[in-house]
Amino acid sequence: RKPVTVPGLRAMKAQGQRIVMLTAYDASFAWQLEAAGIDIALVGDSLGMVVQGHHSTLPVTLEHMVYHTAAVARGLSATLLVTDLPFMADRDVAHALEAGARLVGEAGAAMVKIEGAAPHILEATAALTARAIPVCAHLGLTPQSVHKFGGFKIQGREQEAADRVLAEALAVQAAGADLLVMEGVPVELGQRVTAALKIPVIGIGAGPHCDGQVLVIHDLLGITPGKRPKFSKDFLAGRDSVAAAIAAYAEDVRSGAFPAPEHCFN
Ligand code: KIV
Ligand code: NA
């Protein structure tokens, strides 16, 4: 398999080829993603919830992210590795650059993901990009803002809020982001943002019109502690292996069968 690259992702969008992204937190699961031909592995700070058992992503530290990113990197070859800047690692440009240096230089990620579009986030996006660290933006239901939102709530439901998310998407692209994750927004907003941007938009609970999809692997395997989010699907149900579940997810994203209407917000 040819390695997935950052410029290659933009070519996939141009060609209407859907991008398949999935989280991984250790080398064994990374190897499963690699074997299934997943395009992008994400070391999400969701590990704070599904691995560490916290109720939010806020307790995750840069040390945790470096540790898990390095483990995942050892399991990958052609799959592109993206990793999250954890809570407050983006508090200013200097911290964001230090985190980027460690996650890319030391741990082996190819790209770092940052939540939001606040002025200091746009500044950090430009500063990382200028130093050849590609950035994945993350808008909509950004989990690090759980306390501001008052829970994990769908964003951009009102017209004004939707317009704001679209403006943020254009701003992160202008700041240099090479990829955007849109989480927890109505189908129509996912479609508007995807059409407006040159960079690929990867959705999670953002409808079927995005350039690709991402899921937390624990949701895909039906082993999420507590209730599985509405936008996710248990792909292991009715199948006999982890490999078959991941392969089915990849196939359904590429064919457009996932997400179905029951996984979407209107
Ligand atoms: O941490 C994570 O897993 C994420 C995805 C849900 C996009 O940010
Ligand atoms: Na995350």
Side-chain angles (χ1 to χ4, degrees):
R1 183 158 72 104
K2 258 179 60 195
V4 178
T5 65
V6 173
L9 294 176
R10 211 180 278 218
M12 288 175 78
K13 172 168 182 146
Q15 290 158 13
Q17 217 180 313
R18 289 195 187 84
I19 299 164
V20 186
M21 184 170 180
L22 184 58
T23 69
Y25 313 101
D26 66 32
S28 297
F29 279 96
W31 197 89
Q32 292 288 327
L33 269 60
E34 183 68 42
I38 299 297
D39 299 308
I40 306 174
L42 172 66
V43 183
D45 61 355
S46 52
L47 68 85
M49 301 174 79
V50 297
V51 176
Q52 298 174 335
H54 295 295
H55 294 292
S56 79
T57 59
L58 305 185
V60 178
T61 67
L62 181 59
E63 292 309 319
H64 298 152
M65 293 309 298
V66 169
Y67 174 89
H68 285 280
T69 302
V72 168
R74 292 179 201 117
L76 299 181
S77 48
T79 300
L80 188 77
L81 177 50
V82 179
T83 191
D84 273 348
L85 253 60
F87 182 59
M88 290 299 269
D90 56 9
R91 65 178 74 108
D92 55 34
V93 171
H95 281 91
L97 290 176
E98 175 60 23
R102 291 202 60 199
L103 292 165
V104 173
E106 178 184 334
M111 180 180 237
V112 297
K113 182 161 72 59
I114 319 184
E115 295 185 10
H120 71 287
I121 298 296
L122 299 178
E123 230 189 300
T125 299
L128 286 159
T129 302
R131 287 158 183 84
I133 295 182
V135 172
C136 175
H138 184 165
L139 298 173
L141 199 184
T142 45
Q144 291 175 17
S145 301
V146 61
H147 294 313
K148 286 292 282 182
F149 294 154
F152 296 105
K153 292 186 176 153
I154 301 309
Q155 300 296 306
R157 279 198 189 274
E158 311 298 326
Q159 188 61 45
E160 206 184 298
D163 291 346
R164 200 172 333 117
V165 172
L166 178 60
E168 289 175 351
L170 291 166
V172 295
Q173 175 178 266
D178 279 300
L179 193 66
L180 167 63
V181 167
M182 278 299 316
E183 176 167 358
V185 297
V187 170
E188 193 197 316
L189 179 55
Q191 183 168 25
R192 271 176 82 198
V193 169
T194 303
L197 265 56
K198 297 191 295 279
I199 61 173
V201 176
I202 310 294
I204 173 164
H209 304 293
C210 299
D211 300 305
Q213 299 289 329
V214 58
L215 277 184
V216 169
I217 193 163
H218 290 61
D219 293 339
L220 179 153
L221 297 176
I223 55 170
T224 312
K227 198 167 143 275
R228 187 168 48 73
K230 170 188 159 80
F231 55 66
S232 68
K233 178 176 172 181
D234 177 358
F235 281 91
L236 187 52
R239 297 190 175 87
D240 60 9
S241 69
V242 168
I246 296 174
Y249 165 65
E251 190 180 313
D252 282 6
V253 170
R254 289 185 176 130
S255 74
F258 178 81
E262 69 262 30
H263 309 118
C264 297
F265 304 98
N266 288 295

